[in-house]
Amino acid sequence: MTGDTPAESTASSPSSATSANADTSGATSATLHTTSETEAVASHGHGKEGFIALAVGSIGVVFGDIGTSPLYAMREALHHARGDVNPEHAVLGVVSLVLWTMTLFVTIKYVTFFMRADNKGEGGTLALMALAQKALGRYSPLVYFLGICGAALFYGDGIITPAISVLSAVEGLKDAPGLAGRLDPYLLPIAAGILVALFMVQAKGTGKVAKFFGPITVVWFLALGGLGAVHLADDLRIFYAINPWYGIRFLMEEQLAGFIILGSVFLCVTGAEALYADMGHFGKKPIQMSWVILVFPCLALNYLGQGAMILNDHTTGENPFWNMVPEMAYWPILVLATIATVIASQAVITGAFSLTQQAVQLGLLPRIEIRRTSETQAGQIYVPSVNTFLLIGVLILLMGASLIAQARLAEDADALGSSVLASAYGIAVTGAMFVDTLLAWFVCRHIWKWNLGQTCLLLVPLGLIDMVFIASNLLKIPDGAWLPLAFGAVLVLIMLTWAAGTRTLTEKARRDSVLLMDLVEMLKKRPPHRVAGTAIFLTSDADIAPVALMHNLKHNKVLHEKNIILTVRTAQSPRVPEGDRITIEVINEDFKKVTLSYGFMESPNLPRALGLCRKLGLKFDIMATSFFLGKRNVVPSANSGMPLWQDKLFIFLMKNAANPTEFFHIPPGRVVELGTQVTV
């Protein structure tokens, strides 16, 4: 397709996104009031049984990623310890750093603080960005840019997580009883096969499988805690690690190498941002209780158990997790670990789909095909292009890590592909967490009305801790951490280009178009030929005459009996209640303005929304109605305000955007496209 501008199909640009209750002062308007969808969702899960079900479900989706960290976090941190440091100090120091990193980043930062900063129950970087914009009451380039960076970094994390998680579990086959060493050449194909199968089933929907995620992950955490508890008696000195001094002492002894170790220690909290991002699916209390009662204690026990085992036998530090598994339980734990890593990968993939939907609605990305895989669960979506992109990225990472590991075998007989991936892991997560901290500044100051001292007292220490871990992970750049940064930079460029190009087209359309009220007056003086039926013209700016309307009058020389100027707006909230979905403004008997408001986590469905107009007195048969879309063939211009190469990138994105007919679920047989050529 030649590409139709977003200005003619949806007002999803963040700078123009409005609240659900659009200002219609001075105009005759009507608003539909029905039971809110969000109220119905909120009522779900009340009572003890509902709370437990949500808590168990959150363990599978929210904590899947952080639950697989024991497979590699301790191993990587100890691997970077200097050889001249006391081995006992190294073990106690690493375990202490792990315990306090989980306490500071997860318990204090996310569970205690960030889960209070919700956007009508929803969390995540883009939800926080929208909340901050709403708090400021205006468009802020800084907040907008921070939100883009956070979203881009999440995608970088989304490629590495499935690769490192599944490969770490499959590498347990290296030392499996009766198969030690025999399956080494097949580890990569096995991991790749598991991941390919996982990505292929996404199109089928994961609702039926997802209900088992929680119980399986609960068993996994209990197994982690049990393995750790069994090994605590190996050396009770491990309990000294609860004292943060041992972590600080270890960093002082390691000096500069301590920064590298911190980068590996941070692996223990990768996935922590999922607590905040998935808050809307399960609620605050279930997630908080799951962390405090089950997840944190089991993780702490496992890391303490690994440390006690290594204190007792330093040779087990080469691969502590698998060395702590008794032979009789090796195969069950291996199978359980593989399933747990698949669940962790599924959570990241689902998060990428959800983030993409939000980005499209907020105008950060062009329209992308989004399929619903469930008629009852709004969160069950599938984004084919993102799924394919992630799969290709994951497979490239797997092959690259395998090749690098094989090259290192000459120097290190125990070189692992997951260790190579660990070198690239963490930088995207630390960056995303730092963005959250910066965005929280606007929430504290403008929504919670904290004074400067209160805000600094909380956020400055959190920001400094973020920066320390960012600095430690930046040292991994030569070893592969450049990859998620480069990937994130490309996505930031795409988002900024799309937003800037959309804004340029919108401004150009306003300059070159006729005001709708002026057109209405002109039609009174020179009435055109009238035809029966209803015509709906989609536009992002209801104040100007849509391009399709002007072309219909100019070339077809007709005006329909009823004409509706339809605008789809994205609110700065996750969801818009059905009662606030529609606003109707009557201009005269010939023209009416209809505004449909959607949250940034909702997918627009025009026929369904327009069906509600009957309750507002706007009656028409949708199958006897024509939808007019303005289709613009955009050509680059050196005077557009963007460099020529960026113009071409924007045009490429437009040409590959999803067809608005499919995106808005408009009956294809009722669509008329009228095109024009514009420069950008």
Side-chain angles (χ1 to χ4, degrees):
M1 57 180 287
T2 56
D4 56 284
T5 175
E8 283 299 303
S9 56
T10 175
S12 55
S13 173
S15 60
S16 63
T18 62
S19 63
N21 298 314
D23 181 13
T24 58
S25 58
T28 303
S29 63
T31 305
L32 178 66
H33 295 283
T34 60
T35 303
S36 165
E37 246 182 282
T38 51
E39 289 174 356
V41 173
S43 65
H44 174 70
H46 285 326
K48 186 176 180 181
E49 291 184 2
F51 182 86
I52 293 175
L54 288 172
V56 171
S58 72
I59 292 172
V61 175
V62 176
F63 299 107
D65 190 3
I66 198 171
T68 59
S69 297
L71 290 168
Y72 47 80
M74 276 285 290
R75 180 191 74 202
E76 295 304 315
L78 289 172
H79 175 73
H80 289 103
R82 293 199 342 249
D84 58 345
V85 173
N86 187 322
E88 178 185 326
H89 288 189
V91 175
L92 291 175
V94 167
V95 175
S96 180
L97 289 172
V98 166
L99 294 178
W100 281 97
T101 298
M102 288 195 296
T103 300
L104 291 172
F105 272 90
V106 185
T107 307
I108 294 177
K109 181 175 181 178
Y110 279 100
V111 172
T112 303
F113 169 63
F114 265 92
M115 294 192 78
R116 292 184 57 209
D118 66 293
N119 190 340
K120 293 189 177 180
E122 294 292 341
T125 301
L126 290 183
L128 190 59
M129 179 196 78
L131 185 63
Q133 293 273 32
K134 189 175 181 180
L136 290 172
R138 56 181 171 80
Y139 169 70
S140 169
L142 175 60
V143 171
Y144 181 51
F145 181 72
L146 288 174
I148 285 178
C149 290
L153 289 170
F154 180 87
Y155 284 109
D157 176 41
I159 286 183
I160 300 179
T161 294
I164 189 174
S165 298
V166 173
L167 188 57
S168 296
V170 171
E171 284 173 348
L173 290 169
K174 290 176 68 72
D175 301 313
L179 293 176
R182 296 183 185 178
L183 295 179
D184 288 6
Y186 306 103
L187 296 182
L188 177 64
I190 291 172
I194 292 172
L195 287 166
V196 168
L198 174 64
F199 280 97
M200 287 181 66
V201 301
Q202 298 302 313
K204 306 294 183 181
T206 57
K208 295 180 180 179
V209 182
K211 63 182 179 182
F212 298 108
F213 284 2
I216 292 173
T217 313
V218 168
V219 174
W220 169 246
F221 278 114
L222 292 175
L224 289 177
L227 289 171
V230 168
H231 285 277
L232 287 177
D234 290 355
D235 197 322
L236 294 177
R237 290 178 299 168
I238 193 61
F239 286 104
Y240 292 150
I242 297 175
N243 187 339
W245 163 247
Y246 286 88
I248 297 172
R249 181 186 67 179
F250 175 56
L251 291 178
M252 293 171 62
E253 292 176 350
E254 287 286 342
Q255 300 175 6
L256 182 61
F259 272 100
I260 301 176
I261 292 169
L262 277 177
S264 298
V265 167
F266 191 81
L267 295 173
C268 73
V269 292
T270 52
E273 73 280 8
L275 277 79
Y276 184 49
D278 291 322
M279 179 169 55
H281 295 289
F282 302 99
K284 301 177 188 179
K285 292 297 181 182
I287 293 176
Q288 291 171 332
M289 290 300 101
S290 297
W291 171 257
V292 173
I293 294 175
L294 177 69
V295 179
F296 188 28
C298 289
L299 289 174
L301 275 175
N302 191 267
Y303 286 118
L304 287 167
Q306 289 188 41
M309 178 188 67
I310 300 169
L311 284 177
N312 182 56
D313 180 4
H314 293 300
T315 62
T316 59
E318 294 178 355
N319 201 348
F321 179 83
W322 291 112
N323 284 327
M324 76 187 305
V325 180
E327 184 173 336
M328 62 178 294
Y330 200 94
W331 280 103
I333 293 296
L334 179 60
V335 172
L336 186 59
T338 304
I339 296 173
T341 56
V342 169
I343 292 173
S345 303
Q346 176 62 59
V348 172
I349 295 168
T350 303
F353 291 165
S354 178
L355 185 69
T356 301
Q357 182 184 34
Q358 295 179 44
V360 170
Q361 284 294 84
L362 288 170
L364 303 178
L365 289 173
R367 287 185 306 272
I368 297 175
E369 181 186 3
I370 299 175
R371 302 178 191 169
R372 295 213 169 269
T373 57
S374 172
E375 293 296 328
T376 57
Q377 298 182 31
Q380 291 289 322
I381 60 175
Y382 169 63
V383 187
S385 57
V386 173
N387 192 66
T388 302
F389 194 70
L390 288 177
L391 174 59
I392 293 173
V394 166
L395 292 179
I396 291 174
L397 278 177
L398 275 179
M399 290 186 287
S402 177
L403 292 173
I404 295 173
Q406 289 178 11
R408 292 179 180 175
L409 286 175
E411 302 175 1
D412 183 1
D414 296 316
L416 296 173
S418 61
S419 294
V420 176
L421 291 173
S423 298
Y425 204 30
I427 185 66
V429 182
T430 52
M433 289 183 174
F434 185 52
V435 167
D436 287 346
T437 302
L438 295 176
L439 289 174
W441 175 275
F442 300 95
V443 176
C444 292
R445 294 284 287 155
H446 297 279
I447 293 184
W448 295 345
K449 304 300 181 182
W450 287 10
N451 59 42
L452 184 62
Q454 290 174 309
T455 306
C456 290
L457 187 63
L458 175 69
L459 295 183
V460 169
L462 290 178
L464 289 175
I465 295 172
D466 286 335
M467 292 173 67
V468 168
F469 277 97
I470 287 175
S472 66
N473 278 283
L474 287 175
L475 297 176
K476 297 180 180 181
I477 286 180
D479 296 323
W482 60 269
L483 182 62
L485 291 179
F487 182 63
V490 170
L491 285 173
V492 168
L493 175 63
I494 288 174
M495 292 181 184
L496 288 176
T497 299
W498 180 253
T502 302
R503 195 159 47 245
T504 299
L505 278 185
T506 302
E507 293 170 355
K508 185 175 180 61
R510 177 170 278 275
R511 288 196 307 268
D512 299 342
S513 300
V514 178
L515 290 176
L516 181 62
M517 296 307 297
D518 291 344
L519 177 64
V520 170
E521 293 300 320
M522 291 167 56
L523 293 176
K524 288 180 180 179
K525 297 176 181 177
R526 298 181 61 184
H529 178 70
R530 305 299 293 268
V531 294
T534 301
I536 296 180
F537 299 91
L538 269 71
T539 179
S540 66
D541 191 342
D543 292 330
I544 64 175
V547 171
L549 172 59
M550 297 300 294
H551 278 272
N552 193 40
L553 289 170
K554 180 179 179 180
H555 299 290
N556 297 329
K557 304 185 186 304
V558 297
L559 182 68
H560 282 71
E561 182 183 5
K562 297 178 181 178
N563 298 274
I564 296 174
I565 310 302
L566 180 63
T567 306
V568 180
R569 296 196 180 279
T570 300
Q572 296 284 12
S573 55
R575 294 179 178 83
V576 173
E578 289 289 351
D580 298 327
R581 177 83 67 208
I582 302 169
T583 302
I584 299 176
E585 178 186 346
V586 178
I587 299 175
N588 58 25
E589 292 186 0
D590 296 332
F591 287 92
K592 294 181 178 65
K593 291 182 182 179
V594 175
T595 302
L596 303 181
S597 298
Y598 288 90
F600 56 77
M601 294 192 71
E602 296 179 298
S603 296
N605 188 312
L606 266 57
R608 183 179 301 170
L610 291 173
L612 298 174
C613 291
R614 291 181 175 277
K615 298 182 179 180
L616 296 175
L618 187 62
K619 299 180 180 180
F620 56 88
D621 182 3
I622 196 166
M623 297 310 295
T625 298
S626 298
F627 289 82
F628 287 84
L629 304 181
K631 188 174 184 179
R632 297 183 176 179
N633 181 26
V634 183
V635 294
S637 169
N639 301 318
S640 68
M642 292 193 302
L644 190 60
W645 63 267
Q646 203 169 12
D647 287 343
K648 293 181 178 180
L649 174 59
F650 175 71
I651 293 171
F652 173 79
L653 293 173
M654 285 193 64
K655 288 182 177 180
N656 289 276
N659 191 309
T661 303
E662 298 174 358
F663 186 80
F664 291 111
H665 304 282
I666 304 172
R670 309 308 309 168
V671 175
V672 178
E673 292 184 342
L674 297 174
T676 184
Q677 181 170 295
V678 294
T679 58
V680 64

